[in-house]
Amino acid sequence: MFFTTQRVKLVRFLIKINESIFFCKRLKKVFKEIFKNSPLRKVIDVGVNRGQTIKFLHQFSEEIEIIGFEPNKSLFEKVREMKLRNVSLHNYGCSDSEGTLVFNENILDESSTFENVNSNSKWLMKKANILGVKPKNLIKQSYPVKVIQLADFINEHMVEATIDLIKIDVEGHELKVLKGLFYNPLRSRVKFIQVEVHNDDLYEGQIKNEIIDLLEFNNFSIYKEIKHGFGSFSDIIFINNNH
C-alpha cells in the first residue's frame, strides 16, 4: 500500500508539471483573448478537485467570484481549508436530475467519477499499469452523494447574474451535467462553457459528438479546443452566440 501511495503521488506530480507546461499555457493564451476587454467576474466550477482551476482563474481578475461543486468529501475539505478568496464551495455534484448518485472515488482522485467505467478500456488498463495496480483496485471507495440540476441552482441563486464561464470537468459525466443545465431555460446569461471531453474508450456514458450537438442546439458554438499534454482528451471552450 505504501508503494502504491507513493506511486500515485509521483504520477500526480508529473501530471501537474505536464499540465502547467502544455495545457495551462495554451488555456491562458485563450483566456487572455476571451477576457481581454471584459474581465472574469462570475464563474461556476463543476468538479473543483484540488482547486486547480480556481487558482488558475484568480490570476485573471481580482474581482472574480467562483462557485464550486466537488462531491469528493476529502478533497472538498482540503479545498475549503485553503480559504481561497471569493470562493463558495458545495460538497455535492451536478447531473441531469436531482437526487443521489453513487460516487466512485479513485486512488488517483483526478479520475473519480459518477460514471461506470468501461472494463474493457485500453486506457483503463494503461492507467492501472502506470499506477501499479489492477483495474478493479483503482476505485478506493464508493458512496452516495447528493446531486442537483445546475439550472435549478442558477435560477434560484443567480437570477440576475451574468455568468462569464462555466467549467465542467467531471470524468465522463459532462453530458449529464449539461443536460441538467439546459433542461430549463436559464434566466441568467452564460457567456462561455468549458467542457472536458474524452476521445478514448474509458467511460461508457460520454460521447463527444453528443456534447457538441447539445451545446449547438442551445446556441453555443466551439470557440477553441485545447488538447491536454497527456492522454486522449481535451477541453472545448464554447461561446454563446448571443454574446
Side-chain angles (χ1 to χ4, degrees), residues 18-34 56 59-60 194 223-231 233-235 237:
N18 185 285
E19 289 285 81
S20 64
I21 293 173
F22 296 101
F23 177 74
C24 291
K25 188 175 181 180
R26 298 166 187 161
L27 186 62
K28 186 174 182 178
K29 182 179 179 181
V30 174
F31 274 29
K32 282 185 174 180
E33 294 173 5
I34 292 174
F56 175 81
Q59 65 187 297
F60 292 96
Q194 177 184 341
Y223 181 87
K224 188 78 71 174
E225 181 167 359
I226 307 169
K227 192 179 183 307
H228 286 260
F230 64 97
F233 60 100
S234 58
D235 275 34
I237 299 174

Side-chain angles (χ1 to χ4, degrees), residues 1-12 107-108 127-134 137:
M1 186 64 184
F2 172 79
F3 293 106
T4 300
T5 302
Q6 295 307 308
R7 195 161 180 169
V8 168
K9 287 182 179 179
L10 175 61
V11 170
R12 183 177 293 121
I107 59 172
L108 184 67
K127 185 182 289 188
N129 287 333
I130 291 171
L131 295 171
V133 298
K134 294 180 179 179
N137 294 329

